[in-house]
Amino acid sequence: MDYTSINLSEFLTDEQPSNLPDDSGIVVFSKEQELLVDAVRKRIETDDIEHAEMYRKRISDLKTLAAAIANFPSLLERSNLTLEERTPQLLIESLINSNREGDTTLQLPSKATLGRGFLVAKLHTFSNLEKLAKNAGLDDKTVRRFHDETISMMFLLLAEDVYMNLIHDLLLWEHRADQNINDISPVLQSVWLARTRLAPAFGTMMGTSELLMLSFQLDDQWQDFIRTKLADEDVRQSMEEFLFGLSFEQITKLKNLLREKGIRAIGRDEVSDYLGESVKIDMSMDYRDFFQQYSIRRDNARVRNRLKIPGPHKTLEDHFICFVMERNSEKQKRDTAALS
């Protein structure tokens, strides 16, 4: 995906680096996406006049939205609309030093929030275009490419959400110059997709075998993360939540029940009965389910952190992004030392 609605690393210094892209507008479609959109347009203009008009309006609305957002002040420029100078550095300092708890939406520049809204609108558009392409009889490869683009946008949205969740973590800003941070989204996507292929066994509720199966399917960076960070209790607990699709509190309850009743294993269909509540532990390929399950874990972690109660205070995604930043920072320092 070429489009990035909120790239925090682009507005963290007092002056805009010369190698950053122009922030005066928004790239509505990448070249690859433009080809996909054009393929649908050509097919339905010939075979489905009714949907062709709806299609043209949706694309037009998306471009109009992008143009409107482009009129707001750049995230990179200095601004003194209210007679108080606003610079990227002052923005970051205010976010880090703020004593306000909870959501940071109203502390962010309008363009950052609107850019996120544009990404959501674009995501929904591509989801609809996938269905339209399938109904129009386009080949499976083209339909699949629409699906892949939609999923990629969802993971970009998820990654941005993680960045904002870590906004008070000085590590994030200390290593803000890391250019490899854009590689995190595809890794998270691989982790989630690997998770959909697993069927965690709710026996001892330890998840060891599931964790190994998941790690073997992924790259060296993820395996290094597991090998070096899993001993951390917060990382281990957040991993269990991710694997089982249950909260720390639910997992703890199940473990206690198994131990008290002397039960060695329970079936997946018995989990809700034992917990006394309906829980969804299966992972679908619907991008909305992906994001919803992440957001539940994120919100639970925020509550525990704020109330200082047991359980993971960060999501698995939070921990992984911090790990990548640490590693990249170490590499940059070694490379700098080698050149000096």
Side-chain angles (χ1 to χ4, degrees):
M1 254 208 53
D2 294 345
Y3 169 71
T4 303
S5 66
I6 311 172
N7 187 342
L8 293 179
S9 66
E10 293 180 6
F11 60 97
L12 297 176
T13 57
D14 286 325
E15 298 182 359
Q16 179 176 348
S18 58
N19 63 337
L20 287 177
D22 179 16
D23 193 40
S24 61
I26 290 179
V27 177
V28 181
F29 300 123
S30 67
K31 291 181 179 179
E32 173 70 14
Q33 292 168 349
E34 193 73 58
L35 291 174
L36 288 174
V37 169
D38 196 49
V40 173
R41 178 187 62 78
K42 290 179 179 178
R43 176 61 63 89
I44 63 176
E45 282 183 345
T46 302
D47 303 333
D48 193 341
I49 302 301
E50 179 182 355
H51 281 99
E53 181 59 32
M54 296 171 60
Y55 162 86
R56 282 191 291 268
K57 186 178 187 308
R58 173 60 66 88
I59 298 302
S60 175
D61 290 344
L62 200 60
K63 291 181 178 179
T64 299
L65 177 59
I69 295 173
N71 289 329
F72 281 79
S74 168
L75 302 178
L76 303 173
E77 70 184 20
R78 293 175 181 271
S79 174
N80 58 357
L81 179 64
T82 61
L83 302 181
E84 295 181 359
E85 184 180 43
R86 187 199 78 182
T87 67
Q89 186 62 39
L90 290 175
L91 166 64
I92 296 309
E93 290 175 359
S94 70
L95 289 170
I96 293 175
N97 298 325
S98 174
N99 293 323
R100 296 185 182 94
E101 294 286 351
D103 194 90
T104 58
T105 298
L106 297 183
Q107 296 173 255
L108 293 172
S110 299
K111 196 162 193 175
T113 303
L114 293 170
R116 184 175 176 86
F118 171 79
L119 180 58
V120 172
K122 181 177 176 181
L123 188 156
H124 287 321
T125 297
F126 266 72
S127 177
N128 289 329
L129 289 178
E130 178 190 348
K131 299 172 184 175
L132 193 58
K134 186 175 182 179
N135 293 336
L138 289 173
D139 60 276
D140 291 343
K141 182 179 179 181
T142 299
V143 174
R144 181 66 191 180
R145 284 161 64 192
F146 270 110
H147 179 78
D148 291 343
E149 288 289 344
T150 302
I151 293 296
S152 294
M153 280 182 265
M154 188 279 295
F155 278 103
L156 177 57
L157 193 67
L158 188 152
E160 289 176 355
D161 194 83
V162 173
Y163 299 158
M164 296 310 301
N165 197 41
L166 296 173
I167 204 156
H168 292 288
D169 191 333
L170 295 181
L171 174 69
L172 176 63
W173 311 116
E174 181 183 352
H175 308 312
R176 58 185 177 266
D178 173 30
Q179 296 301 311
N180 295 320
I181 195 65
N182 291 330
D183 295 334
I184 288 178
S185 181
V187 176
L188 289 178
Q189 181 173 351
S190 297
V191 173
W192 274 84
L193 292 178
R195 168 64 180 82
T196 64
R197 295 191 289 269
L198 294 178
F202 289 84
T204 60
M205 297 299 300
M206 294 302 293
T208 304
S209 61
E210 291 80 9
L211 172 60
L212 292 175
M213 289 174 62
L214 179 68
S215 300
F216 287 153
Q217 299 178 56
L218 301 173
D219 63 11
D220 293 341
Q221 190 167 247
W222 176 260
Q223 293 183 35
D224 287 344
F225 167 65
I226 294 299
R227 185 166 51 250
T228 60
K229 294 295 185 179
L230 198 60
D232 183 301
E233 184 177 25
D234 202 272
V235 175
R236 179 182 58 77
Q237 291 172 345
S238 66
M239 172 64 80
E240 286 186 343
E241 285 195 326
F242 176 80
L243 285 172
F244 291 113
L246 299 172
S247 69
F248 167 79
E249 292 76 16
Q250 290 170 328
I251 291 173
T252 300
K253 181 177 180 179
L254 278 178
K255 286 182 177 179
N256 290 336
L257 285 172
L258 291 175
R259 182 172 58 253
E260 292 170 3
K261 296 179 179 296
I263 300 173
R264 295 187 177 183
I266 58 175
R268 297 171 62 79
D269 56 348
E270 297 178 282
V271 173
S272 292
D273 291 337
Y274 274 93
L275 289 175
E277 59 181 305
S278 178
V279 294
K280 181 179 180 181
I281 56 179
D282 293 324
M283 184 79 70
S284 76
M285 289 298 293
D286 190 317
Y287 67 89
R288 291 165 297 188
D289 285 345
F290 275 98
F291 198 85
Q292 182 182 34
Q293 292 194 23
Y294 155 74
S295 65
I296 290 173
R297 290 185 290 109
R298 175 203 63 198
D299 292 346
N300 287 342
R302 287 176 178 175
V303 169
R304 296 188 198 103
N305 185 50
R306 186 167 62 250
L307 299 180
K308 308 303 179 187
I309 58 179
H313 289 186
K314 291 182 179 179
T315 65
L316 181 65
E317 292 83 356
D318 292 338
H319 284 299
F320 178 67
I321 285 182
C322 283
F323 170 79
V324 172
M325 288 179 173
E326 288 175 335
R327 283 298 175 91
N328 286 335
S329 176
E330 292 171 1
K331 182 179 184 300
Q332 289 171 359
K333 290 178 181 177
R334 290 195 300 269
D335 291 345
T336 301
L339 294 173
S340 62

